[in-house]
């Protein structure tokens, strides 16, 4: 099998999918591709040549047409109808009895019938090339992406270098102070950039699905790496390998559902192909492990799984055959937890995490600023006297901690109460007491 060359570098981290002009350019066995066509016809029924090329994401001229010609000659498919003058791509093809037998034999090995995969080695090289496409943030950029949040200056100045590291961030602190919101703001910045990923990978006869419509957001094909319209030679090459799709750099969130098994190749015994794990789908972007410590697996076991990837920037995945393969680990891992670090990790592991950032409770002044912003956004009449009453009666007297999420939740309570009583939403003492009784619970 000939390895597909990487060529035609473009500004997206120095990588652009190369042209596909022949079967040899795919890096895949013609016999394997023939089986793929037969499985597509087996599942989809009658299709035109152009539709078959679209289903397997390969050019018709010089590639799919060659596969169809061979399959016709060997009596595995037949032309069911043709439209004169429109060429072979407009012919409608159907699978024969011999083709059905071969398709079923192929499905015993794998039922995958979708976009043709990209050789695993080509994917690894593409991810390494696109690593340089990341943008570095400055203080100005950070103030823009966090403009909707009220954060202490000391915390703010620690977040920028952490994001630029592209390595790992451990954010900890009490619940409700914006850890997840900060991570999502990072994600919005990442989503402004684009990169290429393949629909699927080919390794030792096995298929690994990478593109996930839930996890990945498609980017316009005429957009440059930094999210601006491409000009001149930045415009997409219409002949580029269609097995690759341009996406926004990923921002993937996992929570309590994360398990050790979910960090390795997931093999489906029924369909007989793999689903890429979270960190592979997140390559080139951010993986947020939210509510860390609440997973079904022990935190220590989960963290031990990250030691090699975090230190060496490579990960190792295992096929069900037992073979291990190396894959680039170009992911910014963000651990976000409400639990005390001492209850989760030891000092040795914390040293391996590049940046540790505590997101603490807001000060009284920060709480006031948050309350003013949220009141304006929710169109609740703000006044300092009402806030002073709230702080004195519901926080200071009760020895209650301030939380950055409280203003939003309390003002929602006021809106609910005012709507029910058909009176204006204000920060009167009565409204504040109603909201406090409905919202706070002494534990």
């Amino acid at each position: 099998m000939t390895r597909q060359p990487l060529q035609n570098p473009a500004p997206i981290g120095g990588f652009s999918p190369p042209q596909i002009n022949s079967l040899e350019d795919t890096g895949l066995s013609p016999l394997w591709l023939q089986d793929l066509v037969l499985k597509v016809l087996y599942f989809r029924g009658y299709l035109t040549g152009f539709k078959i090329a679209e289903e397997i994401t390969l050019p018709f001229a010089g590639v799919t047409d060659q596969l169809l010609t061979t399959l016709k000659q060997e009596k595995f498919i037949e032309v069911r109808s043709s439209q004169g003058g429109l060429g072979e791509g407009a012919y409608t093809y159907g699978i024969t009895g011999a083709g059905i037998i071969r398709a079923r034999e192929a499905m015993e090995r794998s039922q995958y019938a979708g976009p043709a995969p990209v050789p695993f080695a080509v994917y690894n090289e593409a991810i390494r090339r696109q690593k340089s496409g990341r943008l570095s943030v400055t203080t100005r950029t950070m103030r823009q992406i966090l403009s909707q949040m009220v954060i202490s200056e000391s915390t703010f100045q620690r977040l920028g270098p952490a994001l630029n590291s592209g390595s790992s961030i451990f954010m900890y602190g009490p619940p409700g102070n914006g850890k997840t919101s900060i991570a999502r703001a990072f994600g919005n910045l990442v989503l402004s950039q684009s990169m290429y990923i393949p629909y699927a990978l080919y390794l030792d006869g096995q298929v690994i699905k990478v593109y996930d419509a839930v996890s990945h957001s498609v980017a316009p094909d005429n957009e440059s790496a930094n999210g601006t319209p491409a000009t001149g030679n930045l415009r997409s090459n219409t002949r580029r390998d269609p097995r690759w799709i341009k996406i926004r750099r990923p921002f993937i969130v996992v929570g309590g559902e994360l398990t050790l098994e979910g960090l390795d190749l997931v093999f489906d015994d029924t369909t007989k192909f793999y689903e890429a794990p979270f960190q592979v789908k997140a390559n080139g972007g951010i993986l947020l492990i939210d509510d860390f410590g609440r997973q079904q697996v022990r935190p220590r076991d989960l963290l031990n799984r990250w030691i090699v990837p975090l230190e060496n920037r490579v990960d190792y995945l295992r096929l069900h055959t037992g073979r291990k393969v190396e894959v680039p680990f170009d992911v910014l891992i963000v651990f976000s937890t409400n639990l005390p670090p001492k209850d989760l990790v030891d000092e040795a592991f914390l040293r391996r995490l590049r940046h540790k950032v505590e997101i603490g409770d807001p000060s009284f002044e920060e709480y006031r600023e948050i309350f003013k912003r949220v009141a304006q956004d929710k169109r609740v009449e703000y006044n300092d006297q009402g806030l002073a009453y709230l702080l004195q009666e519901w926080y200071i007297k009760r020895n209650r901690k301030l939380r950055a999420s409280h203003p939003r939740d309390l003002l929602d309570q006021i809106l609910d109460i005012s709507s029910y009583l058909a009176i204006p939403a204000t920060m009167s003492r009565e409204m504040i007491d109603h909201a406090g009784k409905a919202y706070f619970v002494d534990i």
Side-chain angles (χ1 to χ4, degrees):
M1 186 181 301
T2 303
R3 183 184 173 206
Q4 180 190 16
L6 285 176
Q7 54 188 0
N8 302 332
I12 298 186
F15 172 78
S16 181
Q19 291 187 12
I20 293 291
N21 299 311
S22 66
L23 283 171
E24 186 179 29
D25 290 341
T26 67
L28 302 173
S29 161
L31 288 174
W32 193 93
L33 288 172
Q34 290 169 24
D35 285 346
L36 181 64
V37 171
L38 289 173
K39 286 187 286 185
V40 167
L41 285 170
Y42 182 89
F43 285 122
R44 309 286 197 277
Y46 302 122
L47 296 174
T48 66
F50 289 136
K51 185 62 178 176
I52 292 170
E54 181 182 325
E55 290 287 331
I56 65 174
T57 60
L58 287 173
F60 181 79
V63 183
T64 305
D65 59 349
Q66 297 299 310
L67 296 171
L68 295 175
T69 297
T70 301
L71 290 169
K72 279 191 300 179
Q73 292 173 347
E74 297 182 2
K75 310 299 184 183
F76 291 122
I77 64 172
E78 60 186 2
V79 176
R80 302 305 297 260
S81 65
S82 62
Q83 299 181 26
L86 296 179
E88 293 186 7
Y91 293 176
T92 298
Y93 296 86
I95 191 168
T96 65
I100 289 174
I101 293 173
R102 179 172 166 182
R104 286 174 175 169
E105 290 175 351
M107 286 189 291
E108 289 179 3
R109 296 187 292 271
S110 171
Q111 293 187 22
Y112 180 81
V118 169
F120 196 78
V122 176
Y123 167 76
N124 285 357
E125 187 175 347
I127 291 297
R128 293 188 182 102
R129 285 195 183 189
Q130 294 181 99
K131 184 175 183 178
S132 62
R134 288 179 179 272
L135 294 178
S136 295
V137 300
T138 62
T139 299
R140 179 180 178 183
T141 308
M142 287 295 293
R143 294 203 185 280
Q144 289 174 343
I145 66 174
L146 297 176
S147 61
Q148 301 301 313
M149 303 186 66
V150 178
I151 302 172
S152 70
E153 188 64 21
S154 62
T155 300
F156 176 85
Q157 293 299 343
R158 294 170 64 189
L159 289 171
L163 180 57
N164 272 346
S165 75
S167 175
S168 57
I169 307 174
F170 186 81
M171 289 197 295
Y172 63 98
N177 284 331
K179 294 184 294 297
T180 301
S181 297
I182 290 171
R184 291 190 180 278
F186 289 172
N188 290 336
L189 178 66
V190 167
L191 289 170
S192 69
Q193 306 168 56
S194 57
M195 65 180 295
Y196 285 107
I197 64 168
Y199 286 97
L201 303 177
Y202 180 89
L203 178 65
D204 290 351
Q206 305 293 326
V207 176
I208 304 167
K209 281 187 62 179
V210 175
Y211 172 70
D212 181 351
V214 175
S215 302
H216 298 129
S217 177
V218 179
D221 221 16
N222 65 342
E223 179 182 276
S224 64
N226 62 6
T228 60
T231 58
N233 63 359
L234 295 185
R235 292 196 180 276
S236 64
N237 186 344
T238 56
R239 291 286 294 173
R240 71 167 177 81
D241 188 342
R243 294 176 297 173
W244 297 79
I245 182 170
K246 184 186 284 189
I247 63 164
R248 307 290 185 187
R249 286 187 178 266
F251 175 65
I252 296 177
V253 182
V254 293
E257 74 277 12
L258 183 63
T259 62
L260 287 177
E261 291 75 17
L263 298 176
D264 211 336
L265 292 171
V266 180
F267 185 73
D268 189 311
D269 289 322
T270 302
T271 60
K272 297 181 174 62
F273 60 84
Y274 294 89
E275 185 82 18
F278 294 116
Q279 70 273 21
V280 172
K281 292 181 179 180
N283 249 337
I286 295 176
L287 176 61
L288 168 61
I289 301 178
D290 204 12
D291 208 12
F292 178 63
R294 307 289 187 186
Q295 284 73 29
Q296 299 173 31
V297 62
R298 290 191 309 170
R300 192 173 303 276
D301 294 337
L302 192 57
L303 289 171
N304 285 337
R305 173 62 179 79
W306 297 109
I307 289 177
V308 172
L310 289 174
E311 288 190 341
N312 301 331
R313 308 309 294 169
V314 297
D315 198 7
Y316 294 92
L317 304 177
R318 186 189 300 272
L319 296 170
H320 73 287
T321 59
R323 181 186 172 187
K324 274 191 173 183
V325 292
E326 180 182 305
V327 63
F329 188 80
D330 180 29
V331 185
L332 171 62
I333 299 287
V334 181
F335 298 95
S336 174
T337 182
N338 301 330
L339 303 176
K342 64 182 178 62
D343 294 344
L344 295 172
V345 295
D346 55 27
E347 185 179 353
F349 189 85
L350 281 175
R351 286 200 305 269
R352 293 184 170 94
L353 297 175
R354 183 78 66 87
H355 293 269
K356 281 77 71 175
V357 183
E358 181 179 10
I359 310 298
D361 295 329
S363 66
F364 283 106
E365 189 56 38
E366 288 164 352
Y367 186 94
R368 176 177 179 272
E369 179 61 26
I370 295 169
F371 215 103
K372 288 179 66 176
R373 291 189 186 189
V374 177
Q376 182 179 9
D377 183 60
K378 294 183 177 295
R379 299 182 180 179
V380 176
E381 183 181 339
Y382 172 83
N383 65 77
D384 283 330
Q385 294 77 16
L387 181 63
Y389 175 79
L390 170 67
L391 292 173
Q392 181 65 34
E393 293 297 321
W394 288 94
Y395 286 92
I396 297 173
K397 284 186 177 181
R398 301 167 190 259
N399 196 29
R400 180 174 283 120
K401 300 288 187 181
L402 300 175
R403 296 284 191 264
S405 60
H406 286 178
R408 175 200 63 205
D409 296 340
L410 288 168
L411 287 167
D412 281 339
Q413 291 284 350
I414 287 176
L415 287 171
D416 292 342
I417 295 164
S418 67
S419 175
Y420 175 71
L421 296 177
I423 59 176
T426 64
M427 290 177 58
S428 66
R429 293 189 175 191
E430 293 77 11
M431 278 287 194
I432 288 171
D433 284 338
H434 274 302
K437 290 174 183 177
Y439 180 64
F440 291 117
V441 177
D442 291 323
I443 300 177

